[in-house]
Amino acid sequence: MSVYNALLRLYPTSFRNEYGRELAATFAARRAQHRGIAGGALLWIEAVRDVIGNAAVVHFEILRADLRYAGRTLRRAPGFAVTAIAVAAIGIGANTAAFSVADFVFLRPLPFATPERLTAIWEEPPGYSMMQPSPANYRDWRAMSRSFDAMGAYHDISVNLIGTTTPRSLQGVAVSGELLPLLGARPLLGRLFSAEEDRTGANTVLLSYGTWQNAFGSDTRIVGKTIVLDRVPYVVTGVMPKAFAYPDRTTAIWTPMRADEVADADRNNNWLTVVGRLRPGITPAQAQVDMNRVATQLAQQYPKENGKTRVNVMPLRDIYNLSTSTQARVLLLALCGAAVCVLLITCANLANLLLARGLARRREFAVRAALGAGRERLVRQLVTESLLLAITGGALGVALAIVAVPVLTQLIPSAMPLVQVPAVDVRVLVVAALLTVATGIGFGVIPALRAGSSTTLDALRDGQRAGGGRRAHLRSALVIAEVSMSVVLLVSAGLLLRALWRVQTTDPGFRAENVYTLRTALPPYKYSITASRVRFYNQVLVQVRAIPGVTSAGYASWLPMAWGGGIWPVAVGGDVVDRSSDHSASLRFITPGYLTTLGIPVRRGRDVSDADTPTSPYAAVVSESFARRYWPSTDPLGQHFKFALHDRTVIGVVRDIKVRGPERTSEPQVYIPFQQVPDSEVFFYAPKDLAIRSTVAPGALLPMVRTIIHAADPEQPVSDPRTLSAVVDAQTAGRS
């Protein structure tokens, strides 16, 4: 009978008290009638079925009665009900919205086939934790490794699409034949690149969904047609689906890598990004051991280039998390922490509300107890009320989250390969439901237990105190908890504001106000000869500087804080080139007027000038940190060093600037005259960003500059028009 009595505990206490003995007696009588193992088994099966079914019915009837009673009670206290629902909605809504974004960025698998097997593979030379490998090392990795089903590579490209209504600048990637298949990519239209196209580097192209829509009007017959990129005809082999974005959301096209790029034998020419798919059953740690073996062999074969170079294998998801800026990660984590604190404060507030309401209803509970309601019944009624409030608040909170999530999507880094935006989907709704139940129970149980114990007839006496010392202590504890969590929130907000203020007040080393920028990335098919680029720059700059209100203008390879600049090894005094971080600097080719436009002061010597031609000695302007590193006690002017393939003479020293963000220490900078680039050399570093200091409003300035550029080259597109202040603000916009 002890087993059957335990089974009866499925019924509510009030039901057991009234019918428990009768049910037990009936079961005992029936058990006496059933003899044998078979009869006893059937009896127990029937008993279990009856108890479970009837208990569910009884609980449902009580719940329905409790809900009706709770509805009537809350309608009599609309102020309390509205306040409790609103508070619950804020707590649940904040956590639902925060989880939606954090889950989207940190937790969800990447939108590729078996993403847990995808890894990024990097070189790790002295002083750098991550560096892109050279094509030669990539070829050897692919041939010598044993842990990967496939290994692919890509590099960024920028091309001009001509032949449409207006020229367009497209950012894309050139990929090896293995890359897209190992990601599990499937085109929406057409096909991926064939093995022959990969081997020869054919002029074929895949379009992103956005490019297909915006540039070609979603033409379903685009496959097989020829488009012109940098005056070279390319055959469209396919269109990728809307949900595919790799390596990030800005990628507009994919082309096969050229055969000569893959055949590059220079192991110091680091410009590829490598992705591998692990073999089934192989972990990233095991792949790391395998690649350590490969790195050791390559170091023995090529001690000059690879002697100190390691290989780093990381899950692809971790690479994207690293590419998410520190400020974005901290902000998202802070957002989640703040949301949890808000939820805890919500629970404490609601518990206080219910405690106060429970004290006001002490006479009601006493009357119900006198009429036979047990403590369990009263507690159950109050928990039902709290859950009803929480569920209503949770539904409203989900609605608030749906409204808030689109605003919070601004926190998602653009480097993530995610085309979709976070939404309140099934996963988020499950979390919201759990939060709702936890909140309802969390703020309802303690007040219900306290109120359920207040059932003595003393509560009916006139003048009885509203609460005893224990209740006062409980309310005090809740108030202390609320104050403590509020202090935590305030301190955290203060620290974030302080950090933001410190970042925003950091001097970047240049003056961003009143500077307007745009990009004219010159195509190599037309401007591989340096003299042709010089003519273009000079024609544009002369006319731009003549615009009323323009005080200065200049070109550079990249703007500060928009791109770090290419890292090149430095050799001073005949030293052997060392690729470690202590012997490297960032390279920018600039035109005269660029440093003046950005307000970067020349501390010693002079700026680059039109006299720095290909026939004059190769010159360089260096930053103060560069001069301190290599000539700490010597005049840097006139000193010689080897950099970017040539020996150069220091002609000037300029102030250090922040090129990688206001919080990051930037490597030393080297600025080289734009004319001193031999034909067809380092074309990727050719000046492309035009900076204009002007008092003219950007809206009025841009059409005039477009006209000037169109006159210099009708096929040259203009892209990325923005103010330099916007570039700087983008470094802190996520925290603002």
Side-chain angles (χ1 to χ4, degrees):
M1 287 301 296
S2 59
V3 176
Y4 186 76
N5 289 331
L7 187 63
L8 290 179
R9 290 189 174 275
L10 294 175
Y11 288 106
T13 302
S14 57
F15 186 89
R16 290 201 312 273
N17 291 338
E18 186 172 357
Y19 301 107
R21 291 183 180 179
E22 181 180 347
L23 290 172
T26 302
F27 179 77
R30 294 183 62 191
R31 190 175 65 171
Q33 296 174 0
H34 287 75
R35 301 293 183 181
I37 297 177
L42 290 174
L43 176 64
W44 275 105
I45 292 173
E46 183 179 354
V48 170
R49 184 187 60 194
D50 289 344
V51 170
I52 292 176
N54 291 330
V57 172
V58 172
H59 280 289
F60 177 76
E61 291 299 327
I62 293 176
L63 175 62
R64 189 166 61 176
D66 286 344
L67 288 174
R68 287 198 301 266
Y69 185 83
R72 292 196 303 269
T73 302
L74 293 177
R75 281 197 298 270
R76 290 197 297 267
F80 164 78
V82 170
T83 302
I85 291 171
V87 171
I90 292 172
I92 295 170
N95 280 268
T96 302
F99 174 78
S100 298
V101 179
D103 170 64
F104 195 73
V105 174
F106 295 125
L107 302 179
R108 295 210 176 190
L110 295 176
F112 308 123
T114 55
E116 68 280 359
R117 290 170 53 196
L118 296 177
T119 63
I121 312 171
W122 301 82
E123 288 188 7
E124 189 176 333
Y128 295 95
S129 59
M130 296 172 60
M131 179 176 285
Q132 294 171 313
S134 63
N137 282 342
Y138 160 64
R139 290 196 308 272
D140 289 336
W141 290 355
R142 191 174 56 183
M144 299 168 65
S145 64
R146 304 166 184 166
S147 301
F148 298 92
D149 269 343
M151 193 180 293
Y154 70 89
H155 66 85
D156 296 332
I157 58 173
S158 177
V159 296
N160 294 337
L161 172 65
I162 58 179
T164 55
T165 306
T166 57
R168 295 172 182 261
S169 178
L170 300 180
Q171 305 302 313
V173 289
V175 301
S176 67
E178 303 88 352
L179 183 70
L180 294 179
L182 74 82
L183 294 174
R186 296 178 180 272
L188 176 68
L189 300 175
R191 59 174 177 82
L192 301 179
F193 304 125
S194 66
E196 179 64 18
E197 289 166 339
D198 174 51
R199 188 182 66 80
T200 61
N203 292 338
T204 51
V205 62
L206 284 164
L207 304 178
S208 71
Y209 188 88
T211 303
W212 176 55
Q213 275 194 322
N214 299 329
F216 301 101
S218 302
D219 183 4
T220 56
R221 298 170 297 176
I222 190 67
V223 175
K225 289 187 175 180
T226 299
I227 64 175
V228 180
L229 304 175
D230 287 351
R231 275 193 181 172
V232 176
Y234 280 75
V235 176
V236 177
T237 64
V239 176
M240 300 306 290
K242 184 177 182 179
F244 183 80
Y246 189 81
D248 56 47
R249 287 176 282 172
T250 65
T251 305
I253 60 170
W254 296 264
T255 66
M257 284 176 58
R258 300 288 180 187
D260 58 344
E261 294 174 333
V262 181
D264 189 346
D266 184 0
R267 293 183 184 270
N268 286 328
N269 192 11
N270 301 72
W271 50 277
L272 288 182
T273 301
V274 177
V275 178
R277 176 176 290 280
L278 296 172
R279 295 183 185 276
I282 300 295
T283 66
Q286 292 171 323
Q288 181 66 67
V289 173
D290 181 32
M291 294 306 295
N292 289 342
R293 172 189 59 81
V294 173
T296 300
Q297 294 181 17
L298 292 178
Q300 294 171 352
Q301 295 177 30
Y302 308 98
K304 181 179 179 181
E305 299 91 344
N306 285 20
K308 299 179 181 179
T309 299
R310 299 179 57 206
V311 179
N312 202 343
V313 179
M314 296 182 65
L316 193 60
R317 158 59 79 177
D318 292 352
I319 289 294
Y320 278 109
N321 287 343
L322 287 175
S323 68
T324 303
S325 67
T326 300
Q327 65 186 47
R329 290 197 302 271
V330 170
L331 181 60
L332 285 172
L333 293 175
L335 177 67
C336 294
V340 171
C341 284
V342 169
L343 183 63
L344 294 176
I345 293 174
T346 294
C347 290
N349 280 330
L350 290 171
N352 256 328
L353 285 172
L354 284 177
L355 275 175
R357 180 165 170 77
L359 291 174
R361 299 171 65 188
R362 292 177 68 242
R363 292 192 178 186
E364 172 193 338
F365 301 147
V367 170
R368 294 185 63 189
L371 294 176
R375 184 184 181 191
E376 181 213 26
R377 189 69 184 83
L378 295 177
V379 170
R380 179 168 180 157
Q381 172 63 52
L382 291 173
V383 171
T384 301
E385 289 184 16
S386 65
L387 284 174
L388 179 61
L389 291 170
I391 291 171
T392 307
L396 182 58
V398 169
L400 292 175
I402 293 173
V403 174
V405 164
V407 178
L408 297 179
T409 55
Q410 299 178 27
L411 302 179
I412 298 175
S414 60
M416 299 295 292
L418 304 169
V419 176
Q420 305 93 339
V421 296
V424 181
D425 56 12
V426 175
R427 286 164 56 97
V428 177
L429 288 176
V430 170
V431 172
L434 294 175
L435 286 172
T436 298
V437 173
T439 303
I441 294 175
F443 75 70
V445 168
I446 294 178
L449 291 175
R450 301 301 302 165
S453 64
S454 303
T455 59
T456 64
L457 294 179
D458 289 341
L460 297 175
R461 297 175 184 171
D462 292 334
Q464 180 69 18
R465 290 187 303 127
R470 294 178 63 186
R471 294 181 181 82
H473 289 318
L474 179 58
R475 292 197 300 273
S476 298
L478 288 171
V479 171
I480 291 172
E482 290 181 66
V483 172
S484 299
M485 287 180 284
S486 298
V487 169
V488 170
L489 276 178
L490 288 174
V491 171
S492 301
L495 291 175
L496 286 173
L497 288 173
R498 179 185 175 187
L500 179 60
W501 174 258
R502 184 168 58 249
V503 169
Q504 291 183 330
T505 56
T506 298
D507 185 359
F510 56 88
R511 294 188 295 113
E513 64 278 1
N514 299 323
V515 175
Y516 190 70
T517 72
L518 52 85
R519 171 163 289 195
T520 57
L522 301 180
Y525 70 85
K526 187 186 295 188
Y527 293 100
S528 61
I529 304 301
T530 302
S532 62
R533 298 199 298 273
V534 171
R535 286 192 297 271
F536 176 85
Y537 297 139
N538 286 340
Q539 181 176 345
V540 170
L541 289 174
V542 167
Q543 296 185 52
V544 168
R545 290 166 182 163
I547 297 175
V550 173
T551 57
S552 61
Y555 266 101
S557 301
W558 295 285
L559 297 171
M561 297 195 187
W563 183 277
I567 306 297
W568 284 74
V570 177
V572 176
D575 294 340
V576 176
V577 172
D578 184 349
R579 294 202 299 163
S580 67
S581 60
D582 290 338
H583 296 81
S584 60
S586 180
L587 165 64
R588 279 177 172 78
F589 289 99
I590 63 172
T591 67
Y594 171 77
L595 296 176
T596 301
T597 301
L598 265 66
I600 303 175
V602 178
R603 303 297 197 193
R604 302 202 58 192
R606 66 174 178 86
D607 191 358
V608 302
S609 71
D610 290 326
D612 296 314
T613 65
T615 58
S616 61
Y618 279 16
V621 175
V622 301
S623 63
E624 291 177 307
S625 57
F626 186 98
R628 286 194 301 269
R629 174 177 292 181
Y630 296 105
W631 305 286
S633 57
T634 308
D635 186 359
L637 296 182
Q639 298 289 343
H640 297 270
F641 65 101
K642 186 173 183 178
F643 185 73
L645 308 178
H646 299 282
D647 292 324
R648 304 190 180 275
T649 303
V650 178
I651 61 172
V653 179
V654 298
R655 182 186 183 185
D656 286 318
I657 64 171
K658 299 284 188 179
V659 297
R660 296 188 182 274
E663 296 173 287
R664 298 180 60 183
T665 301
S666 302
E667 63 277 354
Q669 305 293 303
V670 177
Y671 305 92
I672 296 178
F674 74 115
Q675 298 185 75
Q676 294 187 339
V677 186
D679 293 343
S680 301
E681 275 193 10
V682 291
F683 186 84
F684 178 68
Y685 293 86
K688 54 182 68 67
D689 285 330
L690 172 61
I692 307 168
R693 181 168 293 278
S694 170
T695 58
V696 181
L701 182 63
L702 179 60
M704 292 185 283
V705 176
R706 285 188 184 275
T707 300
I708 291 171
I709 293 172
H710 183 76
D713 184 349
E715 295 181 345
Q716 179 59 47
V718 175
S719 62
D720 298 333
R722 51 185 172 169
T723 64
L724 188 57
S725 295
V727 175
V728 176
D729 290 343
Q731 296 293 319
T732 55
R735 279 175 291 185
S736 300

